[in-house]
Amino acid sequence: TVSQAVGLRVQFLAANANTAASTFQINALAVKNILHSDLTALSPRDIPASTLVDLMYDGTQYILMGVSSPVSRLTKTLYGFTYANNGTDSIDVAAGGATDSTGVYFMTGTALTKSITSTWVVGNSQGMLDTGAVGNSDYYLWVIARLDTGVVDYLASLSSTAPTMPANYTMKRLIGWFKRVGGSNVAFHTYETAGGGIEMNWDAPTLDVNLANTLTTARRTDAVKVPLNISTTAQITVYMQDAGASFFAWVGDPTTTDVAPSVTATPLNNFIGGAGLTTPAASADMSVRTSAAGLIAARASLATVDLYTVVTRGFIWSRR
């Protein structure tokens, strides 16, 4: 009996795999009696020996997802799992579904409230911390599951790649991130975007870059309030000002080629402080791709710009 949808990487062992019941190699185990009638839209005669195919079991039948590259395709499946503050220490996680990070198991979770100040315990209004004591740190939110019972729950960890898993829980998927400052979870709201991505907006955005006489003709990078180890699209408000001269500048993705801003050549510019202003200045709301280190880049046409400031309103993350 299968209570959860399971994705399988399947390999036909014989070229004439068109009998009523065949043997497949599934995750290095021999599994028999998977009927071809259960493989929706699959013609056995069209599948050569040793070909890998993608199957997803939905509780009643195996559905053909595609041929080859199963992990890259199945791990893109995610919906729901938005999350928000519940007081200063707890997080409300909404119901959702996602394929685990290896692409072989589908996890369907219900809405739960979990506390970051306590070690993980299964169930609602229980702890969510994987190990150690809570601190003023960045925490990554995981959906986790155990295969023997099908129970799905949520876990918080300092790790974006390898959380300490509870006993018997073997399936996981990274679904979120939040920040803790001054002994409290920083207030935010999240919204689901197309394809299962997420938009996080800070309830009270902060001034993350505030530099006097520091933005110059050399590229600089600065951290904004987004996750580390993940490239996101930061939603920022930028202000530049110089009392002495007109200027133009460029703010953007730090992974692009470092080229001086210009009015005639690539990359052009996205800020101009005009000479007609009493104090040449520029301000704009922007969407900027960050590096995996949570950085944005900036470069100006002036040797020194008097003031360069950035507020991070939030970010968008595809969760892929």
Side-chain angles (χ1 to χ4, degrees):
T1 300
V2 179
S3 59
Q4 299 287 326
V6 180
L8 303 177
R9 179 183 292 184
V10 179
Q11 186 176 39
F12 285 83
L13 298 182
N16 61 344
N18 59 352
T19 56
S22 298
T23 299
F24 301 88
Q25 182 178 330
I26 302 175
N27 294 338
L29 297 176
V31 179
K32 295 184 178 181
N33 297 324
I34 299 178
L35 300 180
H36 291 313
S37 59
D38 291 334
L39 307 181
T40 301
L42 175 60
S43 172
R45 296 175 181 81
D46 296 334
I47 306 297
S50 300
T51 297
L52 291 173
V53 299
D54 249 356
L55 304 176
M56 178 66 77
Y57 186 74
D58 68 359
T60 58
Q61 63 181 347
Y62 286 89
I63 302 171
L64 179 66
M65 305 295 289
V67 177
S68 75
S69 303
V71 172
S72 63
R73 181 163 30 253
L74 292 177
T75 53
K76 294 183 183 300
T77 305
L78 188 152
Y79 69 88
F81 292 139
T82 54
Y83 56 101
N85 297 89
N86 184 326
T88 60
D89 298 323
S90 295
I91 298 291
D92 291 331
V93 185
T99 309
D100 87 291
S101 59
T102 66
V104 300
Y105 188 76
F106 195 81
M107 301 173 287
T108 302
T110 59
L112 295 177
T113 298
K114 307 293 286 189
S115 173
I116 188 62
T117 57
S118 303
T119 302
W120 182 89
V121 174
V122 66
N124 192 46
S125 299
Q126 299 291 345
M128 68 188 304
L129 187 60
D130 63 342
T131 187
V134 70
N136 292 320
S137 304
D138 290 11
Y139 286 95
Y140 295 89
L141 181 63
W142 296 82
V143 56
I144 60 174
R146 52 186 295 174
L147 293 177
D148 55 349
T149 63
V151 171
V152 175
D153 210 285
Y154 309 105
L155 185 74
S157 175
L158 294 173
S159 176
S160 64
T161 57
T164 300
M165 297 286 283
N168 300 314
Y169 284 77
T170 56
M171 298 297 165
K172 65 183 185 294
R173 172 74 175 268
L174 182 63
I175 58 170
W177 169 87
F178 60 97
K179 196 173 187 69
R180 195 167 169 83
V181 175
S184 299
N185 297 340
V186 180
F188 63 87
H189 284 84
T190 63
Y191 306 89
E192 187 174 4
T193 62
I198 198 166
E199 177 181 345
M200 172 187 267
N201 291 333
W202 299 112
D203 288 2
T206 54
L207 193 62
D208 297 330
V209 179
N210 187 11
L211 300 173
N213 304 314
T214 307
L215 180 61
T216 69
T217 55
R219 175 184 280 195
R220 63 171 295 109
T221 57
D222 295 283
V224 291
K225 194 184 290 184
V226 297
L228 298 180
N229 307 315
I230 301 167
S231 176
T232 66
T233 300
Q235 309 289 344
I236 60 177
T237 300
V238 182
Y239 175 77
M240 300 178 186
Q241 175 266 324
D242 192 89
S246 300
F247 67 93
F248 48 91
W250 175 90
V251 176
D253 182 351
T255 65
T256 60
T257 302
D258 183 9
V259 181
S262 171
V263 293
T264 58
T266 185
L268 297 178
N269 63 81
N270 43 30
F271 287 91
I272 295 179
L277 299 175
T278 303
T279 301
S283 181
D285 288 343
M286 302 182 66
S287 297
V288 175
R289 171 65 62 177
T290 66
S291 70
L295 303 175
I296 60 171
R299 185 171 173 176
S301 62
L302 274 183
T304 303
V305 176
D306 289 351
L307 182 65
Y308 167 47
T309 57
V310 179
V311 167
T312 309
R313 305 188 311 277
F315 62 88
I316 297 173
W317 170 34
S318 66
R319 299 199 291 187
R320 293 292 181 269

